[in-house]
Amino acid sequence: MSCIQTIQDYGLRSIGVGERLLPRNDFTLCEQFTLIGSGMIWNIYFGIMALATGFFLATAVAMGKASTNKWLRKPSEWFIFIFRGSPLFIQFFFAYFFFLSLKKSYPMFDALTSAWLGALIVLFLNTAAYSGEIFYGALRSIPKGDIEAADAYGMSGWSRFRRIVWPTMLRLAWPAYTNEAIFLFHATTLVFFSAFPAWQQRGDALYYASYFADKTFNPFIPYPILAFYFILLTLVIVGVFGLVNKRLNRHLPAARKAKIRFRLNLAR
Amino acid sequence: MKKLILTTAALALSAGMAMADTVRMGTEGAYPPWNFINDAGEIDGFERELGDELCKRANLECEWVKNDWDSIIPNLVSGNYDVIIAGMSITDERDEVIDFTQNYTPPDPSAYVATSDDVDVANGVVAAQTGTIQAAYIAESGATLVEFASPEETIAAVRNGEADAVLADKSFLAPIADEDADLRFVAEDVPLGGGVGIGVRESDGDLKEKLNTAIQSMKDDGSLNELITKWEVSSTF
Amino acid sequence: MHWSFYLSFFKVLLLLAVTAPVALSFGFVGAMAARSHIPPVSWLGKAYIAIVRGVPDIAFFMFFVIALDQAFEWTRHKILCPDWTDPIRQGNDFIVCQSAKLPLSTAPEWVHETYGFFLAVITFSIVFGAFAANVLFGGMRAVPHAQLETAEAYGMTRRQTFWRILVPQMWVYALPGLSNLWMVLIKATPLLFLLGIEDIVYWARELGGTKTSKFTQYPHGDWRMWYFLALLIFYLGMTRASELGLEKLMRRLSHGQATSGGELLRKETTA
């Protein structure tokens, strides 16, 4: 079977399109590359969806934590603490069993135990907590002068937030947020690995990598392939976030831009 | 001087130990009645008793090791233990990578367990443990396969309604179906695999021969059948 | 049986205690390599940091233990049995001479377990060493350049400048990143079971799973949700304790430093 044929058969296998049976024997490198790459669809889906939705909750949580109102601050603080303070792996497990018992009593929660929704919710809450903390840190380091200037222009409330506070917060938080995005994509490999089951052998990149490791009894090929894909993905993320960063900082002189880039060192 | 004494002591010790041939036995410890962890935290079950008896007959010093099912074969071929004795069915796929002794249980059926009788196992959702012959069988049949990492989770999936049925060795399912009023055997049993054997490295011909002889002697004097009946793991020879 | 569960908590704590300094030293070496003026060394250091950080840690955990084990045994085989003629790789099998086995097949079980633990520590350290290297590399670059220039003006060699000026000062800049890393390390420990260690996740699954009365005196249903809740709380407690400890450490390190944190401390004491 030629490699192009393999790609046609298995390129979209992870979402159920193409050949139903996975390759059973005589595994070729092409098959491994194709299927593991196909699994990346799920990693990208989880990563992008969680980032896109988590971003808004993160902003809200950051504002809440910075708020002077106790009723806003305390829940935000606890939310961040719980999701940042415990391993994602355990969160997945716990969430899965929790969703299962929910489903038992209320059938309307049916979809929660499947990975596409249940795991996404966990990832969404998780990234919201991490980014919330990053945004909160950025909020606190907004130069006092900026806010005072906004006040002097007579801005307040929503317009001050939208035109001054929020853009500055993003600008300050962006390098750390880039890191968070990278880690979030890495974390998506845990979905099928923890508790959420894979249906009809549709799984993410790690699922297929371990499938091959299992069948060929040789872990030294599939996992490096997986690593290769993730390095590519990381490069893409760094590139895209770099472009946004450029846009966020377009008003700054060149020397200060360089300084901001440096903070990319904070690990999650 | 002190150092000298220590070295001689160490030498004497290692010489003494080298006499007995230590064979490390790898098992999963999560598949009762074949192998499981008992209340005292030790490996127990049919294969524990069988393995100890085989070692006695083959004059081997044996030691038990637990290993996850997922990596049980890679760890054998890379030499972290010397045999796999974990309810592993003899299949062609596995036989390409490792060697098997003769089977110590006859080829036995796998069975479906479900919560109700009118489950459609041919087209419904069926759970199985990842990387088992049952999972491979379901993938090829028309049913929707859901895979779980451990046998425990496959049962839980049926209880929760995640899957319509679970396919596993009948002997593993029997005590569970007995105990739980909600669970029952459904549909026809499926004959799978070539019985259960001990996995050894392909290069370990000697060990394989020793174990084969020991298994044969247990088959001949009927003690293997006794063990099988005691633990209710399968039909007898 | 339950005490294996409690014991596994100590295993996790022990692993953390051992891994942290080892990973830090891996990181230190990595950062030094990345800063090196010899291009190949510097590339090597930077490649180590970039590759390990770009890949999910779990991908490493899946095969590093076997890879490391084989690498050690291969090296020992080459040294200890030079006149061995059989190939090491026979088909699928990986075979070294008896005396090159790690641990020796005659060794008692606890040696095997310790060795497994050791492999886990090394694997964790390689992965987290890259993160630490990245943080330390940043910390080294954050030390004000004037400090290094002054050292040079005093006639210090590069080596002296590095050890006497740069290293003592970089910690305060690296600490926020390192504390973060410590938190990440704590939260990576549930993956220990991948490395063949019977950790808390292993026992939570094992003990929490349904038990039929045939094989145990204490049958029960599926309790895993509660076991995992307990683990969740354990980890939250660890995080909280670390947060408090690290805050204290930060205050101590900031003392007398020319950073905003140090400035704040100075004001507090003089006010």
Side-chain angles (χ1 to χ4, degrees), chain A residues 219-236:
Chain A
F220 298 115
I221 296 170
Y223 293 119
I225 294 178
L226 176 74
F228 163 79
Y229 275 118
F230 266 96
I231 287 175
L232 274 191
L233 182 63
T234 308
L235 288 178
V236 172

Side-chain angles (χ1 to χ4, degrees), chain A:
Chain A
M1 190 159 61
S2 75
C3 194
I4 294 175
Q5 182 64 40
T6 307
I7 293 174
Q8 277 173 1
D9 287 348
Y10 291 115
L12 296 174
R13 177 61 178 78
S14 64
I15 47 175
V17 180
E19 201 70 20
R20 210 173 71 91
L21 283 180
L22 295 184
R24 307 295 305 278
N25 38 31
D26 303 329
F27 305 96
T28 60
L29 260 185
C30 177
E31 282 170 345
Q32 305 206 11
F33 262 104
T34 311
L35 262 176
I36 294 173
S38 161
M40 290 298 286
I41 296 174
W42 279 108
N43 297 93
I44 293 170
Y45 160 80
F46 282 126
I48 289 180
M49 294 299 282
L51 272 182
T53 49
F55 180 80
F56 295 101
L57 183 60
T59 312
V61 168
M63 296 302 291
K65 190 169 174 181
S67 154
T68 44
N69 183 340
K70 197 172 83 185
W71 296 104
L72 288 175
R73 198 178 66 240
K74 282 288 163 194
S76 308
E77 279 175 356
W78 272 100
F79 174 76
I80 290 179
F81 173 65
I82 287 177
F83 279 93
R84 282 183 86 228
S86 60
L88 180 61
F89 191 73
I90 308 266
Q91 287 170 23
F92 271 134
F93 260 108
F94 182 72
Y96 180 68
F97 295 126
F98 178 70
F99 289 152
L100 274 183
S101 42
L102 257 188
K103 187 171 134 177
K104 248 187 215 162
S105 351
Y106 311 97
M108 60 176 177
F109 291 114
D110 248 12
L112 282 177
T113 50
S114 35
W116 71 268
L117 184 61
L120 183 61
I121 290 177
V122 178
L123 282 169
F124 154 70
L125 293 174
N126 194 274
T127 187
Y130 275 94
S131 335
E133 180 67 21
I134 293 171
F135 289 165
Y136 168 72
L139 272 184
R140 293 216 312 176
S141 30
I142 291 178
K144 218 164 75 181
D146 288 17
I147 311 267
E148 283 166 354
D151 287 340
Y153 273 99
M155 288 186 194
S156 65
W158 175 243
S159 72
R160 187 179 74 176
F161 172 77
R162 205 182 63 78
R163 300 178 63 172
I164 309 292
V165 176
W166 194 63
T168 316
M169 174 191 91
L170 275 189
R171 193 163 58 77
L172 292 175
W174 205 253
Y177 190 60
T178 309
N179 249 335
E180 159 60 23
I182 295 174
F183 277 101
L184 179 73
F185 275 95
H186 289 185
T188 57
T189 51
L190 287 175
V191 171
F192 292 102
F193 201 76
S194 51
F196 289 92
W199 286 75
Q200 283 183 323
Q201 302 182 311
R202 297 177 198 166
D204 74 331
L206 183 68
Y207 172 86
Y208 288 118
S210 54
Y211 174 83
F212 284 116
D214 204 53
K215 291 287 176 233
T216 59
F217 308 103
N218 177 5
F220 298 115
I221 296 170
Y223 293 119
I225 294 178
L226 176 74
F228 163 79
Y229 275 118
F230 266 96
I231 287 175
L232 274 191
L233 182 63
T234 308
L235 288 178
V236 172
I237 299 169
V238 169
V240 171
F241 275 70
L243 285 181
V244 179
N245 191 40
K246 229 181 203 163
R247 191 179 152 72
L248 285 172
N249 289 308
R250 64 193 180 280
H251 60 290
L252 290 180
R256 283 189 62 196
K257 277 181 198 167
K259 224 174 166 183
I260 282 165
R261 284 192 70 84
F262 154 68
R263 289 178 63 194
L264 203 116
N265 291 305
L266 278 179
R268 170 165 171 167

